[in-house]
């Protein structure tokens, strides 16, 4: 674990080496509040909850998480520092985990900084804070799934823009798989078991209960498995490049 911590601290420090990290967080906070207040009409609804904020959050992650994760490996490959990293006395799995946890903490910080909205809701009403806390925990886990996808796409290319676009595309498909229009289209011709399988792979389907503040172990396990799968895929890709 010490090697993972070293990589984590190194990667996290690199995020804040330039003002870009603060710009990314600020951009996320502006969009989060914009969507919650204007498009989600969080005040006009007359309900003391944060449902509009959490409803739009996965779509905001489509921009934030690929932007944070695109440099994890692509940057190392572009400037040639990956060869030096891979010669260090650490395993590839430790390096992948260290970089992933750093990105996860970064997004967690951005998520944490939305707390003024939670305070505002408490000031104006009497919300179910347990449900809101559960939704925040679930939102942190879904961010892990997004970032793991980004880690994989960053490992397959040295171009950060390509890593960003491919990660956003994969996450978009995983989100849309559970959308009503998509399931209705599959329902019109596909067998029920196939529709159920597609829905079970959807980020949105597993996030619906979390938005309501219901933390189901199956939903958390799903995001954990997605993260492990794409992190393992990252390790396989990097191992193949190391061997070659």
């Amino acid at each position: 674990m010490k090697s993972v911590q070293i990589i984590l601290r190194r990667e996290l420090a690199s995020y804040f080496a330039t003002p870009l990290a603060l710009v990314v967080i600020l951009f996320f906070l502006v969009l989060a509040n914009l969507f919650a207040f204007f498009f989600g009409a969080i005040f006009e609804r007359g309900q003391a909850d944060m449902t509009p904020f959490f409803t739009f959050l996965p779509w905001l992650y489509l921009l934030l998480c690929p932007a944070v994760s695109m440099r994890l490996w692509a940057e190392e490959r572009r400037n040639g520092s990956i060869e030096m990293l891979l010669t260090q006395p650490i395993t590839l799995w430790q390096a992948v985990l260290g970089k992933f946890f750093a990105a996860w903490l970064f997004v967690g910080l951005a998520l944490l900084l939305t707390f003024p909205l939670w305070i505002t809701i408490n000031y104006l009403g009497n919300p179910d804070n347990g449900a809101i806390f559960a939704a925040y925990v679930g939102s942190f886990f879904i961010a892990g799934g997004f970032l793991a996808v980004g880690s994989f796409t960053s490992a397959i290319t040295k171009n950060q823009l390509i890593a960003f676009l491919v990660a956003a595309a994969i996450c978009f498909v995983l989100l849309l798989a559970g959308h009503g229009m998509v399931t209705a289209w599959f329902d019109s011709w596909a067998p029920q078991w196939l529709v159920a399988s597609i829905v079970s792979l959807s980020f949105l389907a597993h996030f619906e209960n979390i938005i309501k503040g219901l933390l189901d172990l199956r939903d958390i396990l799903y995001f954990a498995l997605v993260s492990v799968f794409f992190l393992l895929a990252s390790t396989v890709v990097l191992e193949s490049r190391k061997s070659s």
Side-chain angles (χ1 to χ4, degrees), residues 73 77 82-83 86 91-93 96 152 154-157 231-244:
W73 293 105
R77 293 184 59 201
I82 190 170
E83 283 78 10
L86 296 180
T91 65
L92 261 178
W93 181 241
V96 168
F152 168 69
S154 183
I156 62 177
T157 177
L231 291 178
L232 280 173
S234 304
T235 307
V236 170
V237 170
L238 293 167
E239 185 65 51
S240 67
R241 296 191 182 281
K242 181 180 179 182
S243 303
S244 62

Side-chain angles (χ1 to χ4, degrees), residues 58-227:
W59 303 101
L60 293 177
Y61 278 167
L62 268 182
L63 294 175
L64 177 66
C65 293
V68 172
S69 60
M70 67 182 182
R71 62 182 296 280
L72 288 179
W73 293 105
E75 177 71 9
E76 299 271 10
R77 293 184 59 201
R78 188 184 64 81
N79 60 28
S81 59
I82 190 170
E83 283 78 10
M84 187 176 70
L85 176 64
L86 296 180
T87 57
Q88 300 297 313
I90 58 173
T91 65
L92 261 178
W93 181 241
Q94 289 171 329
V96 168
L97 276 184
K99 283 176 169 286
F100 169 73
F101 284 143
W104 205 9
L105 283 177
F106 181 87
V107 173
L109 174 63
L111 184 63
L112 188 64
L113 290 176
T114 62
F115 74 93
L117 182 59
W118 191 356
I119 293 175
T120 303
I121 295 297
N122 271 273
Y123 178 75
L124 296 175
N126 186 28
D128 183 347
N129 285 313
I132 293 176
F133 177 76
Y136 265 107
V137 173
S139 299
F140 187 56
F141 274 94
I142 191 175
F146 276 75
L147 291 168
V149 173
S151 173
F152 168 69
T153 61
S154 183
I156 62 177
T157 177
K158 62 176 66 175
N159 187 311
Q160 293 190 40
L161 179 59
I162 293 176
F164 173 89
L165 292 175
V166 176
I170 293 174
C171 292
F172 184 65
V173 170
L174 287 172
L175 275 177
L176 271 191
H179 196 277
M181 289 190 298
V182 176
T183 55
W185 183 75
F186 277 105
D187 259 335
S188 64
W189 62 272
Q192 193 57 41
W193 64 266
L194 180 58
V195 178
S197 300
I198 292 171
V199 171
S200 69
L201 294 175
S202 168
F203 278 16
L204 275 185
H206 289 276
F207 196 60
E208 283 179 349
N209 287 332
I210 293 173
I211 291 175
K212 301 170 187 171
L214 302 174
L215 267 186
D216 191 316
L217 184 60
R218 290 169 295 184
D219 297 324
I220 298 300
L221 186 61
Y222 165 77
F223 291 120
L225 288 175
V226 169
S227 300

